Amino acid sequence: MAAPEEFALLCLENPLLGPSVSIPTLGATANSRLSPLYQTSKHDAKLLEKYGLKANDAILAEEKHMGLYEDLLNNYNAKLIAGGAAQNTARGAQYILPPSSVLYIGCVGSDKYAATLRAAVDKEGVRAEYRIEASQPTGRCGVIITDHNRSMCTDLAAANHYQLEHLKQPEIWSLVEAAKVYYVGGYHLTVCVPAVLALAEEAAAKSKIFALSLSAPFIPQFFKAPLDQILPYTDFLIGNETEALSYAKSHNLSTTSIPEIAQALADLPKKNGLRPRTVIVTQGTDPTIVSVGGESEVRVFPVREVGKEEINDTNGAGDAFAGGFMAGVVEDKSLETSIDMGQWLASLSIRELGPS
């Protein structure tokens, strides 16, 4: 099989730098990769409550959350981790693919955190083409890990200022034209829908592959219109069970069955009729559900088992799954092999702190 072309996979979304901290509950031990942390106490366990956060959620920051980031860095020995969902996916795909296979596009500030992000992706072989928004700081995502739950609170900042004009610059658009697979994180539907649509239309016009992640339950809930605008172009849709349920609720599907929701999504109208839409719904430790448009039977893929004592951090497991899966797509692997590649990379990721 021929090696992938240079920068065959192009990823677009919101680059973020994340202070991440692991909070043990009473009776648990501190995460060794953050050691020394601090003594377990009821006060520490109330960090989520202090900022009105849920133990297992992903939200955009409001004014009441803005103190979280410095709080984590100054008082909880948090670890700074290069992130942003699609940037994690890009890093994961590049881990598998040959050198110079993955390109990432997003927007950062002109600050030391942008330099940290670039250094991280450069080290892992991902080519980053950032738009620089000097008036805003680089985006950040506070991640609080309690047991095997993770709460993510994102202040997009510069990431919220991506513009279509950057994508259309000749030196960037030439990379778009050269890529054969596009992957867009659903979080970008909150930022620059015209850029997402430009990639989607390019894929449909030239029969390239366009993949989209649902990213978080609030995307189908509060960004229903842009999601519905992009779905007809989507060849691969990746999400988890809570995101699938959110889609079903926001679109008035009369079911809470994950296989039925996946099938409904797979059978939606599609711009490029040369290939069916494939919908992949991960469910943590439960089997992955896959539905292919036009097929009556939903497929079920058991996950790779990881002992509870080996699980360090589930943050980024979905991004890692997408990275492994998209690497398989780039290499023209079968659906079954691509799913297995995604599950393998996710099983590695949850053993580390952050989307490693």
Side-chain angles (χ1 to χ4, degrees):
M1 181 181 295
E5 301 163 16
E6 190 174 47
F7 305 118
L9 174 61
L10 184 153
C11 301
L12 170 70
E13 206 195 41
N14 311 329
L16 304 168
L17 197 62
S20 180
V21 67
S22 176
I23 296 181
T25 55
L26 290 174
T29 57
N31 187 309
S32 61
R33 288 181 64 109
L34 283 177
S35 182
L37 243 172
Y38 46 84
Q39 295 297 314
T40 302
S41 70
K42 289 183 180 180
H43 175 77
D44 294 332
K46 289 185 176 180
L47 181 60
L48 292 169
E49 182 181 339
K50 177 180 178 180
Y51 290 100
L53 300 172
K54 298 177 182 178
N56 196 25
D57 203 4
I59 66 168
L60 293 177
E62 301 173 25
E63 187 61 35
K64 65 181 181 181
H65 301 122
M66 291 304 170
L68 170 66
Y69 309 101
E70 292 302 318
D71 197 357
L72 288 175
L73 289 171
N74 295 334
N75 301 315
Y76 291 91
N77 195 28
K79 179 181 179 181
L80 279 174
I81 298 172
Q87 189 161 235
N88 296 336
T89 293
R91 293 161 62 203
Q94 185 58 75
Y95 179 73
I96 296 173
L97 294 169
S100 301
S101 291
V102 184
L103 168 73
Y104 177 81
I105 296 174
C107 186
V108 297
S110 179
D111 53 27
K112 64 180 181 180
Y113 297 119
T116 299
L117 276 177
R118 186 178 293 279
V121 295
D122 285 351
K123 181 180 178 181
E124 292 163 7
V126 174
R127 176 172 174 175
E129 290 291 345
Y130 295 138
R131 177 181 182 271
I132 306 299
E133 178 52 59
S135 68
Q136 295 288 327
T138 296
R140 50 198 179 166
C141 179
V143 182
I144 303 170
I145 303 156
T146 51
D147 286 341
H148 301 319
N149 294 318
R150 63 96 179 97
S151 183
M152 300 170 62
C153 184
T154 300
D155 175 22
L156 289 171
N160 203 35
H161 291 261
Y162 190 76
Q163 296 177 5
L164 176 63
E165 288 76 10
H166 178 265
L167 188 69
K168 288 290 189 176
Q169 290 176 5
E171 62 271 24
I172 304 298
W173 192 252
S174 65
L175 295 169
V176 172
E177 292 178 320
K180 72 173 189 177
V181 179
Y182 305 137
Y183 176 87
V184 177
Y187 289 119
H188 206 70
L189 295 177
T190 73
V191 174
C192 187
V193 177
V196 181
L197 187 60
L199 292 180
E201 290 176 337
E202 174 75 5
K206 298 181 180 177
S207 199
K208 297 182 180 184
I209 292 171
F210 182 85
L212 178 71
S213 169
L214 286 174
S215 295
F218 74 82
I219 297 297
Q221 182 180 7
F222 298 117
F223 295 88
K224 176 181 175 181
L227 175 61
D228 290 348
Q229 184 181 10
I230 300 302
L231 278 176
Y233 297 91
T234 304
D235 297 302
F236 292 98
L237 180 67
I238 303 173
N240 63 31
E241 74 276 26
T242 58
E243 294 154 9
L245 289 168
S246 177
Y247 178 89
K249 184 176 181 180
S250 66
H251 289 74
N252 300 314
L253 300 185
S254 57
T255 182
T256 57
S257 163
I258 298 302
E260 290 178 4
I261 297 168
Q263 192 159 28
L265 281 161
D267 288 338
L268 288 173
K270 196 167 181 294
K271 294 285 187 180
N272 181 0
L274 296 179
R275 64 174 70 90
R277 178 182 298 108
T278 299
V279 176
I280 302 116
V281 182
T282 60
Q283 304 185 100
T285 58
D286 291 331
T288 298
I289 303 299
V290 178
S291 181
V292 179
E295 295 185 5
S296 59
E297 186 175 342
V298 173
R299 308 184 200 184
V300 179
F301 295 85
V303 300
R304 291 172 175 250
E305 290 189 17
V306 178
K308 188 174 182 179
E309 69 283 356
E310 296 181 79
I311 298 176
N312 202 4
D313 178 8
T314 58
N315 179 40
D319 305 337
F321 173 86
F325 179 82
M326 294 310 300
V329 170
V330 169
E331 292 187 320
D332 296 319
K333 303 289 188 183
S334 68
L335 176 61
E336 292 78 10
T337 298
S338 297
I339 293 289
D340 187 60
M341 291 169 67
Q343 292 182 345
W344 171 76
L345 196 60
S347 73
L348 295 185
S349 173
I350 63 177
R351 291 176 168 95
E352 303 291 336
L353 178 64
S356 303

